[in-house]
Amino acid sequence: MRRWQLPIARLSAFEDHVDMDSFFEYRNCPGCGRDDFGVLFESNLKPCGLNGLYDYRMDKHDPDEFEEGYLVPGKEWGRHVRCNNCGLVYMNPIEQVCRTNEYYANAGNNHASTVKNSYLKTAESQVRLIQRYVQGERLLDIGCAQGFFLFMASTAGYTVKGVELSHDAAAYAREEFALDVEVKPFEALEFPEDRFDVVTLWQTLEHLSHPLAVLERVNGILRPGGMVVVSTPDIEAVPARILGRRWWDIKRLHVNQFSTRTLAGILRNAGFRDVEPASYKGFVSVSILLTMLLKYLNIYERSKPLLNSGSPLGRGMDKMMLAYPSGVNHCVVVGFKQPD
Ligand SMILES: [Zn+2]
């Protein structure tokens, strides 16, 4: 295996003290498996920040602490490269999976009440998207977070199951919606083959170190003709094109950056057929939008009292929702397992 090459020069003093291989792992293209890439831009992670992922760890006693990690637009990123074979943009090297998984396991759930209404309305539209394509009842959501989507799917008649790494988010899904959620990496779970009619990954694939392996496994657990739906941020959508590496979805935890074309490509590489773009309608409250904007501009702390959901202005902004087509910032692709 080739050693990771990136910030060695800049980290040389640091390297004397730390075994860098314990922080990073190098990978072949996560979309096609080849090892042939060009560098798009370098990492801006600082040596002293290598443990910093865990500074974001949400302290359950301090809700504000979590917000630092949530809705935070791109401030830190690893080296981004583009595969010369399939065109996928991905981070290389990446921080070690065991470390990031520990981070996700400990991620808190303090923003559930803030996003609940918008996410439930978005989920309604996502359920309608599935209903347009496939009939069936068994549905698995990988990276189900607090279960907003699973709840709407169960309301629509699906028998649902979720997989989630965050203990707190899974606990919320179980308590708030009585959902069946496994708190383990998907790769660690055993499923009988041909078990599900639909598998969904909403804003999950960009976090996974080995997305192709996960999608191949998804293909294995779908019934013949069953559907996968994948949605991720779109590196070719307008915000990414305008903002470049300052795009809010360029961040330390987003290790793969898909477009409709590369997302469709990885689904085909995983064995799916009839792969095609799709879309849903997203909803976002004015208070979430404003929070993101203020954090992006680094003036959130000063403005926080205004946004407080206890204040009349805050309450008003929580209720005001904007609808947008998913394509504004995301790519969505559906694919089908080969019928018998
Ligand atoms: Zn590739």
Side-chain angles (χ1 to χ4, degrees), residues 177-190:
F177 302 123
L179 292 168
D180 171 13
V181 177
E182 300 268 6
V183 191
K184 274 186 185 164
F186 171 67
E187 301 88 312
L189 291 169
E190 299 283 332

Side-chain angles (χ1 to χ4, degrees), residues 29 32 83 86:
C29 172
C32 73
C83 173
C86 73

Side-chain angles (χ1 to χ4, degrees), residues 101-337:
N101 275 1
E102 188 194 335
Y103 166 78
Y104 290 126
N106 288 295
N109 181 46
N110 298 304
H111 65 293
S113 58
T114 313
V115 300
K116 183 175 181 180
N117 291 337
S118 327
Y119 282 25
L120 284 174
K121 272 187 85 66
T122 302
E124 266 182 319
S125 172
Q126 291 169 327
V127 170
R128 280 197 297 274
L129 158 66
I130 292 164
Q131 288 171 325
R132 281 202 292 275
Y133 284 93
V134 72
Q135 302 304 317
E137 48 190 40
R138 299 160 302 170
L139 183 150
L140 176 72
D141 187 30
I142 301 172
C144 69
Q146 297 88 355
F148 299 120
F149 165 73
L150 281 179
F151 171 68
M152 294 313 300
S154 68
T155 305
Y158 290 91
T159 304
V160 301
K161 185 176 184 69
V163 182
E164 171 55 42
L165 284 176
S166 160
H167 291 274
D168 282 6
Y172 179 93
R174 289 170 177 156
E175 286 157 24
E176 183 79 9
F177 302 123
L179 292 168
D180 171 13
V181 177
E182 300 268 6
V183 191
K184 274 186 185 164
F186 171 67
E187 301 88 312
L189 291 169
E190 299 283 332
F191 296 104
E193 297 288 300
D194 298 349
R195 187 184 158 84
F196 295 100
D197 300 293
V198 183
V199 176
T200 54
L201 298 96
W202 307 108
Q203 279 65 264
T204 299
L205 209 65
E206 67 273 22
H207 294 268
L208 303 180
S209 315
H210 303 290
L212 180 59
V214 167
L215 290 171
E216 284 169 344
R217 178 95 200 285
V218 167
N219 194 284
I221 61 171
L222 278 170
R223 68 154 165 85
M227 178 171 75
V228 65
V229 187
V230 186
S231 166
T232 78
D234 183 352
I235 197 163
E236 288 182 6
V238 173
R241 283 179 185 274
I242 293 175
L243 295 168
R245 73 191 75 175
R246 299 278 164 192
W247 178 39
W248 53 82
D249 279 309
I250 296 283
K251 47 173 142 184
R252 199 164 165 177
L253 292 171
H254 286 182
V255 298
N256 315 303
Q257 295 289 358
F258 295 95
S259 63
T260 302
R261 192 180 69 78
T262 56
L263 187 56
I266 194 173
L267 258 70
R268 289 190 192 101
N269 289 346
F272 289 98
R273 301 160 50 116
D274 301 322
V275 174
E276 62 178 55
S279 71
Y280 59 85
K281 199 190 282 183
F283 291 85
V284 62
S285 70
V286 172
S287 58
I288 294 176
L289 264 187
L290 205 56
T291 301
M292 284 182 70
L293 179 68
L294 295 172
K295 285 187 171 179
Y296 194 72
L297 300 172
N298 275 332
I299 52 174
Y300 175 68
E301 285 306 313
R302 270 178 282 162
S303 329
K304 212 150 83 176
L306 273 179
L307 293 170
N308 187 326
S309 56
S311 74
L313 181 61
R315 275 200 302 276
M317 289 192 301
D318 270 345
K319 288 200 184 109
M320 265 188 281
M321 274 199 243
L322 306 175
Y324 61 94
S326 55
V328 167
N329 190 59
H330 288 83
C331 42
V332 188
V333 169
V334 300
F336 299 86
K337 180 169 175 169

